[in-house]
Amino acid sequence: MGYVIPKWPRTRLGEAEQPCSDALKQPDFSDKLKEIKRRFYDRDFDGIFLDPANLPVYTAQYVPRRALCYYEIFSTAELQSILRECPQIYCLGAGSGSELVGISAASCIALDGKDTKNLKGPVVIHSQDYTDWSSILDSLSSAVRYKWKLDNQHIEYRFSMGNLLDMISEIEQHISSAGLVTAMFIFNELFADKANAMKFVKTMVKCLRPGACFLLVDSAGSFSSVKVGGRNYMSYMFFDSLGQFFEPVLSDDSRWFRHAPGLEYPLSIENMRYFIRLYRRK
C-alpha cells in the first residue's frame, strides 16, 4: 500500500497551507477577503466566483476548516462503508478543493489494510464547478499525494465545468454514474434562483441510480432557509419530503465541527455548525 494515514485534526495544516502560500502573501489579501464576505452576505455568488482573482483567496480562507469538517464527516461509519467500495464520487460545486482534501484523508482510513491488488478500483473524486478551479485543484491534489503518498491505484482526481442551474446532459450522466453525489455548502447558492434550483431537485430524483447515495451538508443557521410561498423552509426539507425516492441513512439538523486546540494556520480557523443528510436512492 505505502500511503500515510492522516492523523487529523492535528496541529498544522500543511496540506492546505502550502498550496495557498502565494494567496496568503498577497498584500491586498484582507481587502479581497472582506469583499468576498460582503458579497456572500448579499448572496452575490457570481460576483465572487466569476472573478479569477478571488478564487485563491477563497480557497485559503475556507478550504482548511471545511476540509477538516469533511474529513470528520467521511470518517463516520456510514461514509466509511461507502468509501470502502471505492466508488465514483461526484462532488457538486467543489472547485475550491475542500472535498478533495477531506475525502482523500478519510479514504486513507477506509483503504487501510486492503491489498492494492484486491481493490475494486481507485476512489474517484470528481470535482465539479461552474468556473475554472483547475490550477488550484492541481496544487491541492499534488500536496495531498505527496503528504499521504497516494497514487492512482488509491485515488483518482477529476475536474469538469458546468452550471448546475443550466443542467446539461454531461452533468446528468456524471450523476447517473456516481456511487455517491455530494452537495456540500452549495445549496444556498442554488436557491438564489429558486426555479432552476427546483429543476436540480428533479434532476437528482431522475438521474441518481437506485442504490447510489446523495450527501447534503450545509449551514444549520438561517442562511440555509428558503422562502417559498410566504413560508421559510430549511433547504434539506425539499429532499426530506421525497421519501418515496430517497431512504434516509444519516440525518442530523445540527452538528458542530470544532477544530483541535492549538491548530496552526496563518488565518483563524472557525468552528462550524452544519446539518447533514445522507440519502440512498430507492
Side-chain angles (χ1 to χ4, degrees):
M1 292 173 293
Y3 52 81
V4 177
I5 305 254
K7 301 296 184 183
W8 273 18
R10 54 188 189 182
T11 57
R12 192 164 189 87
L13 285 172
E15 294 81 4
E17 184 177 347
Q18 181 181 356
C20 295
S21 59
D22 288 343
L24 291 165
K25 293 174 184 176
Q26 292 181 18
D28 58 348
F29 181 92
S30 295
D31 292 337
K32 287 181 180 177
L33 183 57
K34 287 178 183 177
E35 180 64 13
I36 288 172
K37 291 182 176 181
R38 184 188 69 79
R39 290 185 182 274
F40 263 128
Y41 182 81
D42 295 336
R43 298 201 176 197
D44 178 14
F45 303 113
D46 283 351
I48 299 170
F49 299 118
L50 294 182
D51 183 350
N54 288 333
L55 302 186
V57 176
Y58 178 92
T59 294
Q61 172 66 23
Y62 293 102
V63 163
R65 63 170 174 164
R66 287 186 178 173
L68 286 168
C69 179
Y70 297 170
Y71 169 72
E72 183 175 271
I73 289 171
F74 274 83
S75 297
T76 61
E78 294 85 356
L79 273 301
Q80 283 285 296
S81 177
I82 294 173
L83 289 177
R84 282 192 289 271
E85 295 300 313
C86 297
Q88 290 193 39
I89 306 174
Y90 189 44
C91 303
L92 304 174
S96 62
S98 302
E99 287 87 343
L100 185 154
V101 177
I103 298 173
S104 294
S107 295
C108 292
I109 299 174
L111 300 177
D112 184 33
K114 285 194 172 187
D115 189 329
T116 303
K117 296 179 181 179
N118 296 326
L119 292 177
K120 296 180 180 179
V123 175
V124 176
I125 302 176
H126 185 161
S127 302
Q128 177 277 336
D129 219 306
Y130 79 122
T131 193
D132 189 1
W133 294 83
S134 55
S135 62
I136 289 172
L137 289 170
D138 287 346
S139 296
L140 289 170
S141 63
S142 295
V144 163
R145 287 193 185 281
Y146 175 76
K147 291 283 186 179
W148 299 330
K149 302 186 183 305
L150 292 166
D151 59 31
N152 289 330
Q153 291 179 303
H154 304 121
I155 289 186
E156 179 182 332
Y157 300 116
R158 301 174 185 173
F159 173 64
S160 61
M161 291 176 60
N163 193 335
L164 296 177
L165 298 182
D166 184 22
M167 195 67 67
I168 58 176
S169 59
E170 182 182 0
I171 293 177
E172 292 184 347
Q173 290 168 6
H174 289 316
I175 293 172
S176 298
S177 62
L180 173 66
V181 178
T182 72
M184 305 174 79
F185 286 87
I186 66 160
F187 216 58
N188 299 308
E189 298 169 37
L190 289 175
F191 270 86
D193 186 326
K194 296 181 180 62
N196 281 332
M198 295 313 297
K199 291 180 184 178
F200 167 75
V201 175
K202 293 177 181 178
T203 298
M204 290 301 299
V205 172
K206 179 181 74 171
C207 295
L208 196 66
R209 59 180 172 80
C213 291
F214 174 51
L215 178 64
L216 176 62
V217 176
D218 221 305
S219 169
S222 59
F223 196 66
S224 292
S225 65
V226 179
K227 182 171 283 188
V228 178
R231 293 184 58 187
N232 287 320
Y233 298 88
M234 293 295 287
S235 52
Y236 56 75
M237 292 180 177
F238 294 94
F239 284 95
D240 284 355
S241 67
L242 298 172
Q244 70 271 40
F245 302 108
F246 296 105
E247 171 193 357
V249 178
L250 181 61
S251 177
D252 198 334
D253 292 350
S254 179
R255 284 188 178 185
W256 275 100
F257 167 73
R258 302 183 189 277
H259 65 76
L263 188 66
E264 293 183 20
Y265 187 70
L267 305 176
S268 174
I269 301 293
E270 299 174 357
N271 297 325
M272 296 168 54
R273 189 169 73 95
Y274 63 93
F275 72 78
I276 183 170
R277 292 291 191 276
L278 177 63
Y279 305 97
R280 180 174 290 110
R281 183 68 166 90
K282 292 182 177 178

